[in-house]
Amino acid sequence: MSTKSTLKRELERLVIHTNDSVKGYEKAAEKVQDEDANLALCFREIESARRERVAAINSRLECIGEEEKERGSLEGSVHRALISVKDMFTSSQNIEAVIDEAVRGEQKLLDYINDTFDDVDAMDGETVRVINDLKVCVQQATDRLQAKAKAA
């Protein structure tokens, strides 16, 4: 397999999972808006930062002649649907559970990012910068969410 096809595959996988993150934060913000507007704002800020990273990854795809990806994964869609079904059977929203789920999602995305670095042998400097930027963004969000969990 050529380096370009490996890079394409890894960037596509990364952008799809980052899109899942965006959609997850949209849903989380809606879910907690009435109960904790401050947390909803936090989720929206993380969502916005994540959208910027999606655009940066898509830009790297375009640089290697590929189309940008706007969709998330089937796994992410199923997960959000299961959370919605679970919500129907609980009488009240649990802020701590929402935060824990967000932290779990961040860890999953961090795993994908680390896998990208393991699987791609040769990346240009700008692609490495974009992926490192996403990694920092995920770590900052995780730290922020963990602080919110402690305060909850």
Side-chain angles (χ1 to χ4, degrees):
M1 182 183 308
S2 75
T3 301
K4 181 182 174 189
S5 65
T6 301
L7 181 60
K8 172 189 176 281
R9 183 194 65 212
E10 293 300 327
L11 288 176
E12 285 177 344
R13 186 172 74 120
L14 193 55
V15 79
I16 286 168
H17 290 289
T18 307
N19 275 323
D20 282 340
S21 174
V22 169
K23 292 174 184 178
Y25 280 110
E26 279 178 330
K27 186 169 186 65
E30 291 171 10
K31 185 175 181 176
V32 301
Q33 178 60 49
D34 293 337
E35 196 170 338
D36 190 336
N38 188 36
L39 181 59
L41 177 62
C42 173
F43 286 157
R44 285 190 192 93
E45 289 169 352
I46 295 170
E47 172 197 341
S48 177
R50 208 51 55 84
R51 282 184 193 283
E52 291 173 15
R53 278 39 182 215
V54 165
I57 299 167
N58 273 324
S59 174
R60 300 315 306 150
L61 279 168
E62 289 173 354
C63 284
I64 61 171
E66 300 300 325
E67 292 183 20
E68 65 180 49
K69 301 290 179 197
E70 296 180 11
R71 67 177 177 82
S73 69
L74 177 59
E75 176 187 13
S77 295
V78 168
H79 176 74
R80 287 186 299 277
L82 288 173
I83 294 295
S84 293
V85 169
K86 186 171 118 179
D87 289 347
M88 290 188 317
F89 294 103
T90 58
S91 59
S92 65
Q93 296 178 358
N94 182 343
I95 295 296
E96 191 173 330
V98 174
I99 295 171
D100 288 346
E101 196 61 33
V103 169
R104 192 173 74 80
E106 291 300 280
Q107 186 56 55
K108 184 93 169 166
L109 183 54
L110 193 57
D111 290 344
Y112 283 116
I113 295 166
N114 290 332
D115 287 349
T116 299
F117 275 114
D118 289 343
D119 293 342
V120 177
D121 295 329
M123 282 191 254
D124 62 277
E126 182 60 18
T127 300
V128 171
R129 188 197 66 73
V130 164
I131 294 171
N132 273 328
D133 184 52
L134 175 60
K135 190 173 184 175
V136 168
C137 181
V138 171
Q139 189 58 57
Q140 288 172 340
T142 301
D143 294 345
R144 191 173 177 189
L145 292 168
Q146 287 173 335
K148 292 272 185 196
K150 287 179 184 174

